[in-house]
Amino acid sequence: MKILFGVQGTGNGHISRSRELVRKLREDGHDVDVIISGRKAEELKEVEIFEPFRVMKGMTLVSHKGKMSYIDTMIQLDLARLMADVALLDTAGTELVITDFDPVTSMAARVRNIPSMGFGHQYAFGYDIPLAQGNILAKFILMNFAPARYNAGLHWHHFNQPIFPPVIPPSLYEKNAKLVIKGKVLVYLPFEEIEDITVLMTPFDQFEFYIYGKVSEDRDDGHLHFRTYSRSGFLDDLLECDGVVCNAGFELPGEALHLGKKLLLRPLDGQIEQESNALAMEELGYGMAMHDLDGAVLADWLQLPCREPLRFAKSVDFIAEWIGSGHWEELPKYAAASWSGNSSH
């Protein structure tokens, strides 16, 4: 099958999960052409698996100091460029468009009446799952940023809906996992300023914090260890840590739950997806949330034990089988099968 696959380049979660599905689809013999939008080509890291791929401007959501800025999001929106990219996109022979929250391929599928499939966490919100109140604009953007005809939504729990488990990197299924180091904490708060994170973590010197974010080079400052982005280094630290402090995105919390790490989420203010994720995390009893960089909440969380691993099934295998079947109306059957192999659910 000839597939056009669109990836939202903003944040590493979309790239991480799409990397695995693109690999699986190509292994299954499909011809997959990839578009990445929302981030400049020179800012993309570890995307070799997608080659050959094209980069387009698309649209992205803008935030400042841990808070969504809808005004700046609208200011940076180049609608003329978006429409031009859609018009110039070659879809000849395309039998299916898959979009991981990429508006360019989503719009091209609608304009040209090509079957489309949404892949990712955002597409779970079309079903009955925990949803934060938010504002009308935030909900509209979530549901209409990159819509599709069929949806392979992902979540940490099925909520008795036709959605799939998170996509976990293959290396995190290996039996020879690293020994967990008690008191080692992985910190990934990309929407926060490093100075603010430093102030939050400095008093807790009995713990070792490995902080990934806006730093130019790796450096150690006592119990604070600042790291530039490296997928392999990040996964090594994730395997070794006993807890994760991160924004309330989807991919990293899913990996942490898979491995049995305790979780403290800081949702991006005004971003309804992250606020809903924090709500779901607490409702499920899987972790804690803080709505600002709160030292008192961090202190309580640091004393908690680790949790039992959830050990999610390899969801891309079930999703790729569903895609390849051509029977896309049979989504519930494939979604249910993806959870049945997981005794934790």
Side-chain angles (χ1 to χ4, degrees), residues 93-107:
T94 298
E95 299 168 83
L96 175 66
V97 169
I98 301 177
T99 174
D100 184 343
F101 218 50
D102 162 56
V104 178
T105 49
S106 169
M107 190 174 295

Side-chain angles (χ1 to χ4, degrees), residues 143-161:
M143 303 306 296
N144 295 279
F145 189 85
R149 188 181 306 174
Y150 305 96
N151 291 312
L154 309 173
H155 214 301
W156 309 313
H157 190 271
H158 51 69
F159 300 103
N160 295 314
Q161 304 296 315

Side-chain angles (χ1 to χ4, degrees), residues 143-313:
M143 303 306 296
N144 295 279
F145 189 85
R149 188 181 306 174
Y150 305 96
N151 291 312
L154 309 173
H155 214 301
W156 309 313
H157 190 271
H158 51 69
F159 300 103
N160 295 314
Q161 304 296 315
I163 52 183
F164 294 90
V167 174
I168 305 299
S171 62
L172 299 188
Y173 286 100
E174 295 173 0
K175 294 181 180 179
N176 298 323
K178 288 178 174 290
L179 184 67
V180 173
I181 300 174
K182 186 172 177 56
K184 177 172 180 174
V185 178
L186 176 64
V187 181
Y188 183 58
L189 296 166
F191 301 108
E192 310 289 347
E193 299 303 318
I194 285 294
E195 295 77 12
D196 296 333
I197 298 172
T198 300
V199 169
L200 175 68
M201 306 292 176
T202 295
F204 304 98
D205 56 6
Q206 66 272 48
F207 297 89
E208 300 293 323
F209 296 98
Y210 285 74
I211 304 166
Y212 285 78
K214 304 169 186 175
V215 294
S216 57
E217 60 182 6
D218 292 354
R219 61 184 175 87
D220 298 310
D221 184 6
H223 66 295
L224 304 182
H225 310 276
F226 299 94
R227 296 290 182 263
T228 54
Y229 181 75
S230 160
R231 184 62 178 165
S232 59
F234 188 88
L235 289 178
D236 283 344
D237 286 330
L238 176 60
L239 285 166
E240 288 184 345
C241 75
D242 64 4
V244 176
V245 181
C246 60
N247 284 115
F250 178 69
E251 242 59 43
L252 177 55
E255 293 166 1
L257 290 171
H258 175 74
L259 295 170
K261 313 297 182 180
K262 62 183 180 182
L263 271 164
L264 177 58
L265 302 186
R266 155 64 168 127
L268 177 61
D269 290 342
Q271 217 271 25
I272 192 170
E273 179 200 351
Q274 292 214 3
E275 292 176 346
S276 298
N277 289 346
L279 175 65
M281 183 68 66
E282 292 190 313
E283 285 191 3
L284 291 166
Y286 286 175
M288 291 177 58
M290 60 179 177
H291 293 275
D292 52 29
L293 298 181
D294 191 325
V297 175
L298 176 61
D300 290 341
W301 175 81
L302 286 168
Q303 302 307 315
L304 295 177
C306 292
R307 54 164 294 115
E308 285 298 312
L310 290 182
R311 292 296 178 189
F312 296 112

Side-chain angles (χ1 to χ4, degrees), residues 1-7 17-36 47-54 89-90 92-100 105 117 119 320 323-324:
M1 188 186 311
K2 184 172 176 56
I3 299 172
L4 177 62
F5 199 120
V7 183
R17 65 183 175 228
S18 289
R19 179 190 292 122
E20 302 308 325
L21 184 54
V22 167
R23 178 190 289 117
K24 177 60 177 168
L25 290 171
R26 286 176 173 166
E27 286 177 356
D28 289 351
H30 299 291
D31 178 6
V32 185
D33 186 21
V34 178
I35 300 290
I36 304 177
V47 291
E48 295 79 13
I49 186 65
F50 296 125
E51 293 178 352
F53 63 88
R54 288 168 285 170
L89 187 60
D90 182 8
T94 298
E95 299 168 83
L96 175 66
V97 169
I98 301 177
T99 174
D100 184 343
T105 49
M117 186 175 292
F119 165 66
I323 292 168

